């Protein structure tokens, strides 16, 4: 999660919402991908940290299936990201802060619990949640001042 928080801080420094993601191979401990949010800079509404990290890992592995890998992200994934996680067949998702407004794993549609969801990763939430939430709160507090 520390690496994901580093990516979130880098995203914030670039003016993006501070969310960071890392994809790990739990069998080897290797970090396959790191990314921060970048929809503004990339002019791409799908450029969430999770999507960017999955794209990097898939290109690196030359496989769109990321089975048995772990995605670590600082914020509960939204519905778009949860759908991509399911399609990529990520084995485990670890997230930091919960997102009652936009989250889709433990909030909102609870994507992985839906009967139409074809792949359900193991999910662990609340890892370094306070640090992740503080980063988001601070970012938006500063934005409101402007």
């Amino acid at each position: 999660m520390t690496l994901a928080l580093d990516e979130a801080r880098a995203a914030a420094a670039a003016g993006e919402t501070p969310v960071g993601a890392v994809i790990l191979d739990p069998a080897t401990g290797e970090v396959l991908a790191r990314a921060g949010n970048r929809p503004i800079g990339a002019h791409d509404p799908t450029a969430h940290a999770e999507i960017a990290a999955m794209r990097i890992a898939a290109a690196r592995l030359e496989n769109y299936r990321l089975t048995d890998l772990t995605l670590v992200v600082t914020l509960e994934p939204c519905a778009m990201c949860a759908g991509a996680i399911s399609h990529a067949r990520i084995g485990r998702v670890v997230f930091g802060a919960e997102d009652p407004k936009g989250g889709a794993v433990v909030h909102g549609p609870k994507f992985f619990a839906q009967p139409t969801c074809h792949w359900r990763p193991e999910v662990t939430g609340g890892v370094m949640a306070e640090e992740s939430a503080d980063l988001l709160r601070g970012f938006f507090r500063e934005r409101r001042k402007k």
Side-chain angles (χ1 to χ4, degrees):
M1 187 60 77
T2 301
L3 294 175
L5 282 165
D6 289 345
E7 293 298 321
R9 288 184 194 95
E16 303 277 2
T17 300
V19 177
V22 176
I23 295 183
L24 309 163
D25 182 341
T28 65
E30 181 181 10
V31 174
L32 298 172
R34 300 169 58 139
N37 259 11
R38 54 182 178 213
I40 297 167
H43 309 291
D44 179 358
T46 69
H48 288 194
E50 302 95 318
I51 302 282
M54 285 187 283
R55 286 178 177 155
I56 293 165
R60 184 170 176 187
L61 297 172
E62 297 181 341
N63 191 341
Y64 74 107
R65 298 285 194 220
L66 304 176
T67 309
D68 299 327
L69 300 182
T70 297
L71 169 67
V72 179
V73 61
T74 58
L75 184 65
E76 176 185 352
C78 70
M80 175 182 68
C81 292
I85 289 164
S86 180
H87 282 283
R89 292 181 171 51
I90 293 281
R92 182 171 185 225
V93 174
V94 177
F95 70 86
E98 290 187 8
D99 185 359
K101 291 181 181 177
V105 176
V106 297
H107 293 93
K110 299 179 183 173
F111 188 90
F112 302 129
Q114 296 304 312
T116 54
C117 179
H118 64 279
W119 180 266
R120 293 170 181 82
E122 175 187 332
V123 176
T124 303
V127 176
M128 297 181 75
E130 198 58 38
E131 294 91 330
S132 298
D134 286 347
L135 186 57
L136 285 156
R137 280 192 290 268
F139 176 80
F140 287 112
R141 186 179 315 112
E142 289 302 312
R143 303 268 301 193
R144 285 190 294 275
K145 290 180 181 178
K146 296 178 182 181

